[in-house]
Structures are given as C-alpha cells and as structure tokens.
Amino acid sequence: MKLIVGLGNPGPKYAGTRHNVGFAVIDEAARRESASFETAPADALMARVRSRDVLLAKPMTFMNESGQAVGELLRYFKIDVADLLVVVDEVQLPLGKLRARARGSAGGHNGLKSVIQHVGDEFARLRLGVGRGDARRDLADHVLARFEKDEAADVERMIERATDASDLFVTGGIAAVMNQFNGGDPATTE
C-alpha cells in the first residue's frame, strides 16, 4: 500500500492558502478517483483508493504537528516509509515549480521537520513552489495568505501536475517522478 499525505492546516480559515497546497493535491487525487474522505485511525482525514491500494491523507494536527498523524498512519496500516510521499508547499521555489526528492532535510519547513521527527528522513517528498513573495513581509504571513487572482491559473496547473506526479509515484516510484517533473513545467518549457 502507498500512503500519499498532503500537509496543510485544517479548517476554513486556511482553505486556499499557500500553506495548504498539499491538501489541494490530496483533494484533487480523491476527486479523480471518486474516493470519499473518512476519519482515520489517527488525527487525519483519509480516502482509500482500494483499486490501486493507495491511501490519501490530510493530517488534522495543524502543519507543525503533521508527523504525529503520518507516523500513526504508517504504523496502523503497516506501510513501509519507502511507500510514503509527502506533498508540501515550498517558498524557495517559484510559483508553479515542482521538486521531488527521495529523501532529505526539512529545508526549514516545520511540517517536514515534524514528519522527520516521527518517521525519519527516508521518505519521498514533493515540494510545490508557492514563491517567497515580498522579502519584507513576514514569511508566516505569506504562507498563510491566499493566492492572488492573477496567480489562479498557475496554481491550478501546479495542483494538476502535482496530482499527476503523485499518481506516477504510485505506479512508477519516486525516481520516475523526479525524472518527469523536476525539469520544469512542460506547459511553459520548450
């Protein structure tokens, strides 16, 4: 079984924010599979895609404690950490850019720090570029802000591509995702 976890913050206050693009990818993956969310044996919402042996999850622990729910899901369903993909926002990447890695550090991201604390750093991650914004603006304010209207098309395309990348993780593994999606946005590169 594969576990794909999108990181974000629960509740309508955070819906549509830069920090919640991980949730948006999980929502799109569930929509594509006509999978419904249910409560999980952890502080999370999950949707099962039984035909593909995939579990989609959104921790409800808030971003900085995401690792608790991720660890509980891995243990409960006896999923190997190599079968985990964490989808998360990344301010160091320009809006719309994706970067997949087989393992690594948290890179300053508190959600990834929490996951690493609970399961180690040997898990795949897919970072979605949300841009840094104005350097004079507090970073927390930036990631908790909603996208601008003129960014909507780029965000929608990024969510679609990230969902495609998550799907490829299930069928081809993280190496295939890195090969196909780390080069840039095929819609804008020649």
Side-chain angles (χ1 to χ4, degrees):
M1 175 180 280
K2 302 282 189 194
L3 173 60
I4 302 174
V5 179
L7 301 190
N9 287 314
K13 176 180 177 182
Y14 301 103
T17 63
R18 294 172 191 275
H19 227 15
N20 274 34
V21 293
F23 277 12
V25 171
I26 297 302
D27 288 339
E28 175 60 16
R31 186 198 64 75
R32 288 182 183 184
E33 296 289 343
S34 300
S36 300
F37 286 98
E38 57 190 77
T39 56
D43 194 2
L45 293 177
M46 65 180 196
R48 296 178 195 233
V49 183
R50 295 184 194 281
S51 63
R52 303 184 69 215
D53 205 21
V54 174
L55 188 64
L56 306 170
K58 300 188 296 185
M60 295 287 110
T61 52
F62 286 91
M63 182 66 79
N64 296 353
E65 300 296 329
S66 297
Q68 178 183 338
V70 173
E72 289 174 8
L73 288 168
L74 287 173
R75 288 186 294 278
Y76 184 87
F77 289 102
K78 297 176 176 57
I79 300 170
D80 189 78
V81 74
D83 292 322
L84 167 66
L85 175 67
V86 175
V87 182
V88 64
D89 62 292
E90 177 55 69
V91 297
Q92 299 304 324
L93 291 175
L95 180 65
K97 186 166 179 63
L98 304 181
R99 180 171 297 143
R101 293 284 185 259
R103 67 189 57 81
S105 72
H109 194 286
N110 289 332
L112 285 176
K113 280 182 194 173
S114 178
V115 176
I116 290 169
Q117 179 183 13
H118 286 270
V119 306
D121 63 359
E122 296 291 316
F123 63 90
R125 68 276 323 265
L126 178 62
R127 296 175 186 258
L128 282 64
V130 297
R132 170 57 182 95
D134 187 337
R136 296 169 296 184
R137 185 178 186 191
D138 180 64
L139 190 56
D141 289 341
H142 176 68
V143 296
L144 294 175
R146 287 181 169 72
F147 290 98
E148 302 295 329
K149 287 183 180 170
D150 64 345
E151 296 174 316
D154 291 333
V155 173
E156 186 176 325
R157 185 169 57 250
M158 177 178 67
I159 299 301
E160 291 288 328
R161 291 184 62 241
T163 307
D164 293 343
S166 299
D167 187 51
L168 182 58
F169 174 77
V170 172
T171 60
I174 192 63
V177 174
M178 292 188 301
N179 287 337
Q180 185 169 337
F181 290 91
N182 282 356
D185 183 348
T188 59
T189 58
E190 297 181 313

